[in-house]
Amino acid sequence: MGYEIDFLGVGEESKSGDAIVLRYGNLYGHRDEQTVVVIDGGFQSTGSKIIDHITTCFGTSRVDLVINTHADQDHINGLEPVLNELEVKELWIHQPWLHNQGLASKFIDGRVTDKSLGERLKKNLEKAWALVEQAESKGVNVREPFTGVTDTGGGIKVLGPSVEYYESLIPNFDGMPEKASGTSALESFFDKAAASIHRFFATWGEDQIDDEGITSAKNNSSVITQLIVEGRRSVFTGDAGIQGLEHAADKIEQCTSGADLRFIQIPHHGSKRNIGTTVLNRLVGEPISQGTSRNITAIASTAKYGEPKHPRKAVMNAFTHRGVKALATRGTGICHNFNAPSRDGWSSMDPEPYHFDYEEEVA
């Protein structure tokens, strides 16, 4: 048993996105001994890359499972051509419009109803709604990926979100009415705040991230999954923030498989708002001595010209001084594998260097 995890290059300019293609099973055997999975599809133009990669590198046009972590355009838009041109068996995607019972009571405006809010969610998340319609028209099995859901191959399992946590996030999705509590997400404040470039000096083992990072409700609704093969755990985080990752860490700590973490996706393209010291310690471990390794690989999916926003050097440092081989795609493809055939034209990459002196935007 082995696996190949391919991060495809997304973002020719400065806008980052996610498109992950993986397969696991007997990679030296017949296609029927393998499970092929797509996690997110990047932008519309990324769809053709995914199709080419699966047919060329995996030698198949069949996909066992497509997972959309959340409905942001840099994660969902490329999945339409995948469903159109490949033989997809199953789609995992959240359908918030099905979770509208009692939703109207969360808002000040007494004119809204549960039904109208369900329709609003379909409109606001039009790409997700259309993808579900497309899948169902093609006979693709559609499931909502909540904690505990597993794939037919038995290797993929959803760590989060739970139904309850997901439903608690829906009232804070973009485009929803003003909440009855009068609270508002802080994401828009940070997005609008003026940014300036500051210079930082880092010391090995000292985090320059904290536990105060805030991301949007939609990001925190991201599907977090794990793959376990031969006692090796790989974790895929989408754009989840600290709160979502904490819930996933709870599930990992309760796991009795004995699997060791060997791979983790750096959430939200290496954004500083999505990872904190405490949850990183839980997922990976505390900082260790320079020159030592935990034999863990971490990849951030970033645009070619995504810096300094994606990835943040403080985030890459935080993984590196925990003994992790941290990498960023920067618009190119990266493969992490175990017990897999070699590929012509693919070679090993050096990890991100530790940044002792760097400049970053500060809002």
Side-chain angles (χ1 to χ4, degrees):
M1 292 279 285
Y3 59 77
E4 290 176 313
I5 299 169
D6 294 307
F7 276 63
L8 304 191
V10 179
E12 294 296 325
E13 298 300 328
S14 61
K15 292 184 178 180
S16 301
D18 276 358
I20 304 168
V21 180
L22 68 90
R23 63 173 175 165
Y24 69 91
N26 177 12
L27 304 190
Y28 295 90
H30 191 268
R31 167 66 179 88
D32 292 341
E33 300 176 81
Q34 305 163 12
T35 300
V36 175
V37 182
V38 174
I39 303 177
D40 287 331
F43 299 103
Q44 185 76 26
S45 61
T46 314
S48 59
K49 292 183 179 180
I50 295 171
I51 294 163
D52 289 345
H53 189 87
I54 290 172
T55 55
T56 301
C57 294
F58 293 177
T60 184
S61 60
R62 289 190 290 124
V63 176
D64 297 283
L65 174 62
V66 169
I67 304 172
N68 174 233
T69 61
H70 64 300
D72 280 348
Q73 64 173 354
D74 57 311
H75 293 254
I76 195 171
N77 283 11
L79 295 180
E80 178 188 353
V82 171
L83 263 64
N84 269 337
E85 299 186 34
L86 296 177
E87 181 187 341
V88 176
K89 291 184 178 180
E90 187 161 85
L91 170 67
W92 288 1
I93 185 171
H94 289 139
Q95 302 177 63
W97 49 88
L98 300 181
H99 300 267
N100 60 335
Q101 186 174 0
L103 191 56
S105 65
K106 307 293 184 183
F107 302 102
I108 291 174
D109 190 345
R111 296 169 297 178
V112 299
T113 65
D114 290 350
K115 182 178 180 180
S116 69
L117 288 169
E119 294 303 315
R120 182 188 291 233
L121 285 163
K122 288 180 185 178
K123 183 178 179 180
N124 292 346
L125 302 170
E126 183 181 3
K127 285 291 184 180
W129 167 251
L131 198 67
V132 171
E133 292 284 285
Q134 178 189 3
E136 291 179 342
S137 72
K138 290 180 169 294
V140 176
N141 185 39
V142 179
R143 300 174 71 191
E144 287 199 275
F146 293 116
T147 303
V149 170
T150 58
D151 73 329
T152 55
I156 300 283
K157 182 176 182 179
V158 178
L159 299 175
S162 66
V163 176
E164 296 77 15
Y165 180 56
Y166 183 79
E167 290 181 344
S168 76
L169 294 170
I170 293 174
N172 289 315
F173 280 9
D174 295 341
M176 297 299 278
E178 185 179 354
K179 286 180 64 180
S181 63
T183 59
S184 60
L186 296 179
E187 177 82 352
S188 59
F189 167 79
F190 288 112
D191 284 343
K192 294 175 183 177
S196 59
I197 300 293
H198 286 213
R199 190 173 183 182
F200 292 87
F201 298 94
T203 301
W204 181 273
E206 180 183 352
D207 284 322
Q208 292 183 326
I209 59 173
D210 56 47
D211 295 334
E212 307 304 317
I214 297 173
T215 192
S216 68
K218 189 160 63 170
N219 282 347
N220 256 326
S221 76
S222 290
V223 183
I224 303 173
T225 53
Q226 72 174 10
L227 168 67
I228 295 181
V229 173
E230 299 289 349
R232 302 167 68 94
R233 174 182 282 113
S234 301
V235 176
F236 306 91
T237 60
D239 281 358
I242 292 171
Q243 192 175 30
L245 293 171
E246 289 282 3
H247 292 308
D250 290 341
K251 295 302 175 184
I252 291 174
E253 289 170 356
Q254 294 165 13
C255 182
T256 58
S257 70
D260 293 326
L261 182 68
R262 286 292 172 259
F263 172 84
I264 185 168
Q265 177 187 7
I266 300 175
H268 200 188
H269 324 295
S271 171
K272 200 171 180 178
R273 298 183 205 163
N274 291 66
I275 194 73
T277 297
T278 300
V279 74
L280 193 53
N281 285 343
R282 293 181 67 191
L283 291 169
V284 174
E286 296 189 2
I288 59 178
S289 301
Q290 191 170 357
T292 56
S293 172
R294 281 197 165 97
N295 196 25
I296 298 170
T297 298
I299 298 177
S301 182
T302 67
K304 186 175 182 180
Y305 303 112
E307 294 182 273
K309 186 177 181 180
H310 296 151
R312 293 283 191 172
K313 291 182 173 59
V315 172
M316 302 303 279
N317 277 356
F319 280 87
T320 300
H321 65 224
R322 285 173 169 80
V324 175
K325 180 181 180 179
L327 302 163
T329 61
R330 295 187 174 91
T332 63
I334 296 178
C335 177
H336 168 71
N337 59 50
F338 166 71
N339 197 16
S342 60
R343 284 189 199 161
D344 291 338
W346 292 69
S347 58
S348 61
M349 291 181 63
D350 292 329
E352 187 89 359
Y354 193 80
H355 302 283
F356 290 97
D357 180 355
Y358 62 92
E359 292 183 340
E360 273 191 358
E361 286 186 353
V362 176

